[in-house]
């Protein structure tokens, strides 16, 4: 095990936490990384949910909520994280290596799931930064392609290097064992970079209003329609606030697990 996390060797599971091993780590740039961990046999989740992850700190677990980036069928659990130099957890989490151990919550939950949406034709996944994570899960879930005729994943970042998983997404998930055939026909990836030269450089709200969002690969009307479109939002609080207001104005109704609607956000992350 890594010396950085070996200060508390032999992490002990509890009634709410299991202890899992890091399988792989990928550093996208100086402030963004992803990693996979072992998955307990009993661990079940819906694509799009989040779970608590953590490391020991002063004799007790230090935990934070992380969206699961892997689909519900995957043998390992995947996560996407920022690197915060002085962050209580991420300052340490960013140094993990294969073989290290960390805590995993036993009960995933969340509202970024298709159960919280009414049936529709197009599913728009609007994300900024690491808000991409739950949508990586959903985009690789074959059930989503059975429920919607098209899945449009929009990822807005500041720099080109922040476009994690760009190669896989631009290839329309080619090589994915379960959805590659469906994704080729039904999946569209729309990246936008706001602070460096790129084909699209506007924020998501501007892309919607200008119609630029509905370019090649996106079928149907060149506007959002509450009658047939369903939307998920994950990312910065400013994006969620602004786009939620825009959707409300267009007649979209927010949904939840208890009352499915036209769009959903993850309130656990935005308060």
């Amino acid at each position: 095990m890594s010396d950085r996390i070996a200060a508390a060797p032999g992490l002990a599971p509890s009634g709410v936490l299991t202890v899992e091993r890091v399988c792989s780590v990928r550093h996208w740039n100086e402030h963004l990384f992803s990693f996979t961990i072992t998955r307990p046999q009993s661990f079940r989740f819906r694509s799009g949910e989040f779970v608590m992850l953590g490391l020991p700190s002063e004799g007790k677990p230090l935990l934070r909520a992380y969206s699961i980036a892997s689909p519900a069928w995957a043998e390992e659990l995947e996560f996407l994280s920022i690197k915060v130099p002085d962050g209580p957890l991420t300052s340490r989490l960013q140094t993990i290596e294969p073989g290290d151990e960390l805590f995993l919550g036993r009960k995933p939950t969340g509202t970024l799931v298709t159960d919280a949406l009414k049936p529709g034709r197009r599913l728009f996944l609007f994300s900024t930064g690491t808000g991409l994570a739950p949508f990586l899960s959903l985009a690789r879930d074959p059930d989503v392609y059975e429920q919607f005729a098209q899945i449009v994943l929009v990822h807005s970042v500041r720099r080109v290097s922040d476009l994690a998983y760009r190669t896989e997404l631009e290839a329309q998930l080619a090589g994915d064992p379960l959805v590659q055939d469906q994704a080729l026909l039904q999946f569209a990836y729309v990246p936008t970079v706001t602070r460096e030269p790129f084909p699209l450089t506007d924020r998501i709200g501007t892309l919607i209003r200008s119609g630029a969002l509905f370019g090649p690969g996106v079928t149907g009307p060149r506007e959002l329609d509450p009658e047939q479109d369903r939307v998920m939002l994950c990312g910065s609080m400013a994006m969620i606030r602004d786009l939620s207001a825009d959707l409300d104005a267009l007649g979209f109704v927010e949904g939840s697990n208890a009352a499915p609607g036209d769009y959903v956000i993850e309130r656990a992350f935005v308060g």
Side-chain angles (χ1 to χ4, degrees), residues 15-236:
V16 296
L17 299 171
T18 63
V19 174
E20 304 305 322
R21 178 176 49 81
V22 176
C23 301
S24 65
V25 182
R26 182 174 182 178
H27 294 273
W28 298 93
N29 58 24
E30 72 276 15
H31 62 255
L32 188 67
F33 72 108
S34 58
F35 57 97
T36 62
I37 66 173
T38 53
R39 176 179 180 171
Q41 272 194 320
S42 61
F43 189 87
R44 300 288 182 268
F45 71 99
R46 296 174 295 174
S47 294
E49 289 188 317
F50 69 89
V51 70
M52 304 304 291
L53 281 179
L55 294 168
S57 177
E58 298 181 354
K60 58 184 179 180
L62 175 62
L63 305 171
R64 295 290 186 270
Y66 275 84
S67 292
I68 304 170
S70 46
W73 53 263
E75 294 182 358
E76 297 176 349
L77 298 175
E78 187 171 8
F79 300 93
L80 178 64
S81 178
I82 57 172
K83 303 176 184 180
V84 181
D86 56 351
L89 179 60
T90 56
S91 62
R92 297 172 59 205
L93 195 62
Q94 66 185 296
T95 69
I96 59 173
E97 295 177 353
D100 290 344
E101 291 181 340
L102 47 72
F103 291 114
L104 171 71
R106 295 182 185 270
K107 293 185 177 181
T109 188
T111 53
L112 294 177
V113 293
T114 56
D115 290 344
L117 293 174
K118 296 177 181 177
R121 180 168 178 76
R122 298 189 297 187
L123 175 61
F124 287 89
L125 308 172
F126 294 140
S127 63
T128 61
T130 56
L132 174 71
F135 300 154
L136 291 169
S137 178
L138 286 154
R140 293 181 284 181
D141 188 329
D143 289 344
V144 176
Y145 292 85
E146 296 297 325
Q147 297 177 57
F148 297 93
Q150 184 165 51
I151 294 87
V152 182
L153 196 167
V154 183
H155 190 202
S156 177
V157 298
R158 295 179 178 180
R159 303 183 303 165
V160 176
S161 66
D162 294 330
L163 289 173
Y165 301 90
R166 178 186 177 187
T167 300
E168 296 94 322
L169 296 171
E170 284 185 335
Q172 292 179 279
L173 304 173
D176 187 279
L178 293 189
V179 305
Q180 64 174 353
D181 294 337
Q182 292 166 297
L184 184 62
L185 299 174
Q186 297 173 242
F187 178 75
Y189 170 57
V190 183
T192 182
V193 178
T194 60
R195 296 191 181 181
E196 290 181 352
F198 199 72
L200 289 178
T201 57
D202 289 323
R203 299 181 185 276
I204 297 173
T206 302
L207 295 178
I208 295 171
R209 290 186 290 272
S210 69
L213 173 67
F214 309 94
V218 180
T219 61
R222 293 180 59 82
E223 60 183 3
L224 294 178
D225 177 5
E227 292 298 317
Q228 66 171 322
D229 294 330
R230 299 296 172 255
V231 180
M232 293 185 178
L233 308 175
C234 191
S236 71

